[in-house]
Amino acid sequence: MMRNFGTSAAASAIAVVFAGAFALAATNVVAEQSANPTADQQFDALVADYEAWQAEQDPIRTGRRGDFEAAARWPDAAPAAVEARRATERTFLSRLEQIDADALTGNNPISHAVLNYVLRSDAALAEFDPERAPFVNDSGFFSLPLGVANSTRPRSIEQARAWLSRLEALPAFLAQHREWMARGIEDGFVQPAYVVAAVVGQLEAIVATAPADSPLLEPFTGLPAALEAEHGQALRKRPVVDVAEPHEDLAESPRGLVALDRERLLDHPLV
């Protein structure tokens, strides 16, 4: 029985043509959607970018999620880093303003309103340089390291080394905030006297603790058996030297500035 190879070849050719046409059409649709994204697509992309950026700016939270690089550093409070964050926030706000909120669907209108509030509030607050008063009546930059230490329990040598790196970076972190407070004193932008007095009292209690007994060493207590057997003693021995300098910096942070210009700091409330 002879087969009609001509007909079969023609059918195959037609199938190839149709497949190519469909592929081309699909490509055109995707290209058109990319060139003209819907309001929901624009907003979803903005939220994804914003959340990724927030994770980069918050090494404490990102470090707790298993990022060893983030777990080895503190939030960057250097003036250049602060200004870069503000510029990025303004860019996000500009992108948000270009999205037609009335065209959003599902939960996006509510999410849009929330993000709009957050970004506008941050932009308004930035004009006052709030970093100049980096503490309130019971917490601030000086208590953050202690809080992180209290919640950090290394389960691997990588996590332990990340905490050691944080200890080594702590003096620089404290120095950044001291610079902001010095600027606040110069500008007359400070906390009320009773807040300063309360913070100084907390600092005195922190500094009175011997370095070997520092809460900053808590991450090295209760290590997993294998980690304790192989590295426990070395991990606890090295930080005794590391925490001495942070302790001294803690003592010289707001308290040092109070001693430098006490009357002015205590007489001028936060404005």
Side-chain angles (χ1 to χ4, degrees):
M1 179 176 180
M2 295 186 61
R3 299 177 60 185
N4 190 337
F5 288 104
T7 303
S8 177
S12 298
I14 293 173
V16 171
V17 171
F18 273 109
F22 279 123
L24 181 60
T27 300
N28 290 336
V29 169
V30 172
E32 183 176 354
Q33 290 177 341
S34 299
N36 300 288
T38 66
D40 284 318
Q41 290 172 329
Q42 288 178 304
F43 183 70
D44 290 343
L46 172 59
V47 169
D49 291 344
Y50 180 69
E51 291 180 343
W53 174 77
Q54 277 193 313
E56 293 175 359
Q57 302 303 308
D58 187 354
I60 306 301
R61 182 179 63 176
T62 303
R64 286 172 176 160
R65 293 177 176 176
D67 187 321
F68 295 143
E69 186 277 330
R73 57 187 175 88
W74 300 101
D76 192 348
V82 170
E83 181 52 41
R85 282 196 292 271
R86 292 174 181 173
T88 301
E89 288 171 343
R90 291 193 294 268
T91 298
F92 281 126
L93 180 57
S94 177
R95 287 177 59 182
L96 187 69
E97 292 174 338
Q98 296 174 23
I99 297 174
D100 183 1
D102 294 333
L104 295 173
T105 62
N107 293 325
N108 278 349
I110 297 176
S111 298
H112 180 282
V114 171
L115 184 56
N116 182 61
Y117 173 80
V118 169
L119 291 174
R120 290 190 182 282
S121 296
D122 288 344
L125 188 62
E127 296 182 10
F128 296 93
D129 284 336
E131 293 81 8
R132 293 177 294 173
F135 58 88
V136 291
N137 61 331
D138 62 350
S139 61
F141 75 96
F142 66 93
S143 61
L144 175 64
L146 303 180
V148 176
N150 186 55
S151 62
T152 298
R153 292 297 180 270
R155 314 318 292 172
S156 68
I157 188 59
E158 290 78 15
Q159 291 175 328
R161 287 170 177 162
W163 181 247
L164 286 175
S165 294
R166 266 195 177 148
L167 288 180
E168 293 169 353
L170 187 52
F173 170 76
L174 298 175
Q176 289 176 343
H177 290 286
R178 289 177 63 190
E179 291 176 6
W180 278 110
M181 286 189 295
R183 183 182 300 184
I185 289 178
E186 183 65 27
D187 298 339
F189 187 95
V190 298
Q191 290 282 19
Y194 70 90
V195 172
V196 174
V199 168
V200 169
Q202 292 183 59
L203 285 170
E204 288 175 335
I206 293 172
V207 176
T209 305
D213 299 324
S214 171
L216 295 173
L217 299 182
E218 288 184 8
F220 300 125
T221 62
L223 295 171
L227 185 59
E228 171 65 35
E230 187 172 358
H231 300 287
Q233 185 175 357
L235 289 172
R236 282 187 292 273
K237 182 178 180 180
R238 176 182 169 189
V240 170
V241 178
D242 291 340
V243 299
E245 185 177 359
H247 264 70
E248 293 170 0
D249 278 2
L250 280 171
E252 295 301 323
S253 295
R255 186 168 185 79
L257 291 170
V258 170
L260 177 67
D261 202 350
R262 187 181 186 88
E263 290 185 4
R264 184 178 179 187
L265 183 61
L266 297 179
D267 289 344
H268 289 72
L270 180 63
V271 295

